[in-house]
Amino acid sequence: MTTSAPAYQFTDSTEPAEIRATTVLPAERRNIELITTDGMKLVGEFAAPEGRTPAATLVTLHPLPTAGGFMDSHIYRKASFRLPALADIAVLRFNTRGTCSPRGCSEGEFDGGGLERHDVEAAVQWAVNEGLTNIWLVGWSFGTELCLKYGAREPVAELIEGAVLLSPPLHRAVDADLDSWAEAGLPLHVLVPEHDDYLRPAEAAERFARIPQADVVGVDGAKHLWVGEKYVSRVLDEIAGVVLGRQTQLPTQWDGPTARAD
């Protein structure tokens, strides 16, 4: 099921505009609802390039809802603002069960990463049902645990191309989950902040050594929440490069209509 997404007021400029934290670029945006196999209705939003087939689709999994994580966590919100226009990448954001945001509340209750398996499966299946291709999971913090636990197992594994992890804590994901990725052979790109609160680059490299195809990248100066435009830009460049299969540096200016988010 889909409904109209909130409309942004776009205005033209006589010269290229600097892309800032609240800049919204043109995209086809719609609110969506996901229905899980255990009957929960999850709320979300899908943003796609205007009038073009997406080159890739991101299924984003947000940080821990009991610590304030939701579909509007800032990197994902900015990804939806920018990536459809700048890189032809579609972005699916949604609230996992029991999570609320301005978009609304998803049904169910937080289950610590257990029943959320159904949420991951529902989001990926929605993308497949829409005819989207080159589908990638992107997890941030708690979202990385969901990626690691369920992304390389069926029914998800055969439907995705791989995953990008941001600030993985490796609290809920265990060695058996990492081994499932090694066995599946799916690409895994791991961004680890230098000053992360839970897992730092050296330890991350050691832990992810169980997955031969995992690419672990330490990001100097960054912290768990990736606060600051410098780090947001780095994350979005990395994500775009991975899913498009080429090194990518996204533009920092936009010559066309822009809007401003609240």
Side-chain angles (χ1 to χ4, degrees), residues 61 111-117 120-121 137 142-154 156 165 170-174 176-178 180-181:
L61 304 170
D111 193 49
L115 292 176
E116 283 82 2
R117 175 174 189 161
V120 177
E121 293 173 358
L137 297 181
F142 172 70
T144 69
E145 310 276 39
L146 300 183
C147 284
L148 290 170
K149 290 175 73 65
Y150 309 125
R153 295 188 168 97
E154 301 304 339
V156 174
L165 309 184
L170 287 182
H171 285 168
R172 294 169 173 83
V174 298
D177 300 315
L178 304 184
S180 72
W181 278 86

Side-chain angles (χ1 to χ4, degrees), residues 23-241:
T23 301
V24 183
L25 303 181
E28 294 177 359
R29 295 183 169 88
R30 51 186 166 128
N31 289 335
I32 63 172
E33 293 178 351
L34 312 173
I35 305 298
T36 68
T37 54
D38 64 340
M40 296 297 107
K41 181 189 296 181
L42 314 178
V43 300
E45 183 201 84
F46 181 68
E50 283 192 321
R52 302 183 302 280
T53 300
T57 298
L58 310 181
V59 174
T60 62
L61 304 170
H62 59 69
L64 191 67
T66 54
F70 58 169
M71 63 177 275
D72 284 336
S73 293
H74 76 101
I75 288 176
Y76 292 161
R77 194 166 184 243
K78 291 164 188 171
S80 75
F81 289 167
R82 304 178 193 180
L83 293 182
L86 296 180
D88 286 347
I89 296 173
V91 180
L92 189 164
R93 300 179 294 139
F94 71 101
N95 289 327
T96 56
R97 60 187 57 215
T99 303
C100 294
S101 73
R103 166 69 179 90
C105 294
S106 290
E107 294 179 348
E109 296 180 359
F110 174 68
D111 193 49
L115 292 176
E116 283 82 2
R117 175 174 189 161
H118 299 296
D119 305 355
V120 177
E121 293 173 358
V124 172
Q125 190 61 56
W126 184 93
V128 171
N129 291 347
E130 288 288 305
L132 298 162
T133 58
N134 196 19
I135 299 168
W136 290 75
L137 297 181
V138 180
W140 178 8
S141 194
F142 172 70
T144 69
E145 310 276 39
L146 300 183
C147 284
L148 290 170
K149 290 175 73 65
Y150 309 125
R153 295 188 168 97
E154 301 304 339
V156 174
E158 67 176 358
L159 303 177
I160 66 169
E161 301 300 320
V164 180
L165 309 184
L166 314 176
S167 307
L170 287 182
H171 285 168
R172 294 169 173 83
V174 298
D175 285 348
D177 300 315
L178 304 184
D179 292 344
S180 72
W181 278 86
E183 182 178 351
L186 290 168
L188 191 66
H189 193 75
V190 187
L191 292 182
V192 184
E194 178 186 11
H195 304 299
D196 197 276
D197 299 317
Y198 306 106
L199 186 72
R200 297 191 174 183
E203 184 184 357
E206 181 178 345
R207 296 284 301 278
F208 281 101
R210 300 181 73 94
I211 307 174
Q213 73 276 19
D215 182 18
V216 179
V217 178
V219 180
D220 293 345
K223 297 182 179 180
H224 189 76
L225 297 180
W226 304 96
V227 174
E229 181 59 31
K230 171 182 177 181
Y231 299 112
V232 172
S233 296
R234 172 68 185 276
V235 167
L236 296 184
D237 283 349
E238 291 269 357
I239 291 172

